[in-house]
Structure formats: C-alpha cells, structure tokens
Amino acid sequence: MSTLENLSCPIDAAPLTRDQRSLTCEYGHTYDLAKTGYVNLLPVQNKRSKDPGDSKEMVIARQNFLNQQHYFPIVNAIFASWPREHLVNGMRILDAGCGEGYYLNEMGKSLAEQDIEAELTGLDISKWAIVAASKRDKMVSWVVGSNASLPVPDERYDAVLCLFGFPVFNEFSRVLTDDGLMLLVESGPNHLIELRKILYPSIHDYKQTFSDGIAGFDLVSEQEETFSFTLDSQEKIQDLLSMTPHIHKASYDGREALKQFDSITLTADIKLRWYRKNVKEVSHV
Ligand SMILES: C[S@@+](CC[C@H](N)C(=O)[O-])C[C@H]1O[C@@H](n2cnc3c(N)ncnc32)[C@H](O)[C@@H]1O
C-alpha cells in the first residue's frame, strides 16, 4: 500500500509525519493528500514555470502508447540486468521522473510474482503525470516533486531509477544508501530510427552520454536492448510522436510526412546502465 512515509519537507528538509490525509513537518508546513492519494511536494518557489514537466497532452499520449505494452521488453531487461544480490525483500526503490507510472506499476507486479516485497516511490515534476500515475496504481507512493531537490531524507533508497529522464546525480547519490544502485535507461543509437528518418532530412551522429563516467558512482553493468514493434494506425503513431522530444524538434514538413503513414514498424534501441554509489567519491555540496 502507498505509505507516503519518510518524506521530507521541501521547504526546510525536516521529516514529514503523516496524519490521515496530510503530511506535516515540525515547523508547521502541511501538505494535503489529493483525492487519488498522491502528495504535491513542489512548492511554488521551487517551480521554474507555472506547469512544469510533461503537459497533460504529453501524459495522455505516453499513457496511450505505454498501455499497448510495446515497451514491456524494457521492464524485462531491467529485471534481467538488476544485480541479483540487490533484489531482496524490503528493498526501497525511487523512480525519479516516473511519468505516468507505467514502469513502477509493471515492476510492482513483477516483484510480487517473484515474492519480493518492495516499497516503491514514484516522483515527477509534472502534476499531470502524477495524477495519472496515482489513478493507475494504489500500491506506490506518488509524489509531485523535483529531481533537483528531492523531498526525501539522506540514504533513503536502495535503488534510484531514471528512465528517459533528467538525472541529478548529487541528489540521487544523497538519497541512496551506501551501496545503493542507480539505473539510467536511455535511447541507443538506432532508437526509433525509422521515425527519425521520416521526420528529419539527415540523422545526427549518436553521442554517448556520460562517457567519462559519473562522479560519485561506479559503473556496474551496461547493456543494449533492441527490439521492434508495429504501430498500426496514424493515431498510435501520433501518440508516440507526442511523447518524444521530436514533437518539438521536427519541422512542419517532417511532421506532415509522418501523417502519410497508417502503419509503421519501429526499432527500439535502449541502453541500460547500472551504477553503484561510490561513498569515497561523494561530496554533497
Ligand atoms: C521522457 S519522460 C519519461 C517518463 C517515464 N520515466 C517514462 O519513461 O515513461 C520525462 C519525465 O521527466 C519529468 N521531469 C522533467 N524534469 C523533471 C525534474 N526536474 N524532476 C522530476 N521529473 C522531471 C517529466 O515531467 C516527464 O514525466
């Protein structure tokens, strides 16, 4: 069950105590739970815009796409690559930038099948994403908040997941236990290459991210997962486009060209990298 316990006040970092439908810190800051059970820990002063993160339309498009299960192989790849000794009862997992909750929801089901009890927290800066997530799954603690300043105490999680998101490494390190794990899931060189060839006149060379390593973390494993899937209607193609950065980056001509397709088979090319927190290198400034 969602507990929303052991969170911290986003204003003064003091522990939050749950009292039925609200969380309160010792300095009197109170955060009410929404009807669907999530809590908003993103105070106005921490917002860079009125409605930060993915818009309502992007969230709906992502949910429509993910519900078709084309990306389920990613869930399998996450479990297949998870360092075995860390998949244990009582583990605490944070999905930082969880979107509308597809991955945590699927992971929760899979953990239950493996008889592993886990405490799952999903956090996203988009209120729309967390509203959708909190309707999808009542077992997860859903929080509106920012990776830039996570409203959780130090060393709170055994694993922090960042899937196609915006990692903030010093915060991820701060909230991880001493031998905690971080998972980065990102696009590989051929991800949605067929779509990109329709949208753009030329394809840029792929640039590996964090190729010099990440301060405070040791790389544990790295793998690429490739599979293909077919979208069999223009509506489904538009949902996929709307959940990617290409919706903003592609030209008018590119987007018009895509409208000519009723069906498209696409390559998913995903890079998964697991890291372990390196306490010797850590400095939380
Ligand atoms: C590409 S989406 C990926 C969502 C989800 N991980 C998935 O793969 O379905 C990126 C997500 O990061 C969220 N986001 C952007 N900036 C953020 C921040 N500073 N802190 C937390 N989430 C953020 C967006 O609202 C969006 O839901």
Side-chain angles (χ1 to χ4, degrees):
M1 207 45 203
S2 150
T3 59
L4 289 170
E5 273 165 10
N6 292 317
L7 296 167
S8 338
C9 176
I11 296 172
D12 49 40
L16 289 170
T17 312
R18 181 161 178 182
D19 173 21
Q20 304 281 343
R21 304 285 307 167
S22 64
L23 305 179
T24 308
C25 81
E26 60 185 297
Y27 303 106
H29 300 118
T30 296
Y31 306 89
D32 291 335
L33 270 59
K35 270 198 196 116
T36 52
Y38 73 87
V39 67
N40 190 332
L41 296 181
L42 187 68
V44 197
Q45 55 267 44
N46 290 7
K47 284 188 187 183
R48 296 229 175 109
S49 69
K50 197 162 171 267
D51 192 14
D54 278 10
S55 65
K56 189 174 183 182
E57 293 69 31
M58 287 172 90
V59 168
I60 292 170
R62 187 179 303 283
Q63 192 156 40
N64 287 345
F65 172 77
L66 289 172
N67 281 347
Q68 295 165 55
Q69 297 289 8
H70 296 304
Y71 274 12
F72 192 74
I74 299 177
V75 179
N76 281 337
I78 291 174
F79 278 113
S81 60
W82 202 303
R84 278 291 144 305
E85 67 279 15
H86 286 261
L87 269 178
V88 291
N89 261 330
M91 64 198 293
R92 295 170 303 181
I93 303 169
L94 171 69
D95 186 351
C98 61
E100 49 63 74
Y102 170 79
Y103 292 98
L104 268 190
N105 177 241
E106 290 296 341
M107 289 171 72
K109 288 189 259 181
S110 186
L111 285 165
E113 278 163 21
Q114 298 173 63
D115 268 335
I116 299 174
E117 273 178 37
E119 188 196 301
L120 307 179
T121 306
L123 174 140
D124 201 285
I125 204 166
S126 160
K127 178 187 158 185
W128 305 112
I130 293 297
V131 169
S134 62
K135 290 180 185 165
R136 187 195 270 283
D137 192 329
K138 302 291 177 197
M139 303 301 279
V140 176
S141 296
W142 299 110
V143 179
V144 179
S146 174
N147 288 351
S149 175
L150 291 167
V152 296
D154 297 355
E155 301 182 16
R156 170 83 179 84
Y157 291 100
D158 303 300
V160 173
L161 318 178
C162 187
L163 284 66
F164 308 105
F166 299 90
V168 180
F169 297 120
N170 61 343
E171 272 298 89
F172 290 0
S173 168
R174 179 183 70 77
V175 304
L176 275 172
T177 52
D178 273 359
D179 64 345
L181 295 173
M182 172 176 76
L183 170 68
L184 294 186
V185 176
E186 295 177 333
S187 308
N190 289 317
H191 190 51
L192 306 181
I193 187 72
E194 301 83 357
L195 181 89
R196 290 191 279 141
K197 281 184 176 164
I198 298 167
L199 291 173
Y200 302 108
S202 62
I203 303 294
H204 293 305
D205 288 343
Y206 175 78
K207 282 202 200 90
Q208 161 94 317
T209 57
F210 318 117
S211 48
D212 297 335
I214 300 171
F217 288 92
D218 294 328
L219 184 65
V220 175
S221 72
E222 180 168 13
Q223 77 178 71
E224 213 155 301
E225 187 71 19
T226 308
F227 53 93
S228 62
F229 62 96
T230 300
L231 299 177
D232 58 9
S233 73
Q234 176 56 215
E235 200 184 342
K236 291 177 183 171
I237 294 170
Q238 287 303 321
D239 278 336
L240 175 66
L241 178 67
S242 302
M243 64 170 248
T244 68
H246 306 304
I247 183 79
H248 302 300
K249 286 189 194 159
S251 66
Y252 173 82
D253 288 347
R255 281 183 278 123
E256 285 300 305
L258 189 64
K259 285 187 186 158
Q260 308 313 311
F261 288 78
D262 289 329
S263 170
I264 186 170
T265 296
L266 295 164
T267 302
D269 177 11
I270 309 296
K271 198 181 264 287
L272 294 98
R273 279 176 286 180
W274 284 96
Y275 295 83
R276 182 175 288 111
K277 176 169 158 178
N278 180 342
V279 264
K280 285 187 219 123
E281 273 189 42
V282 173
S283 86
H284 302 303
V285 195

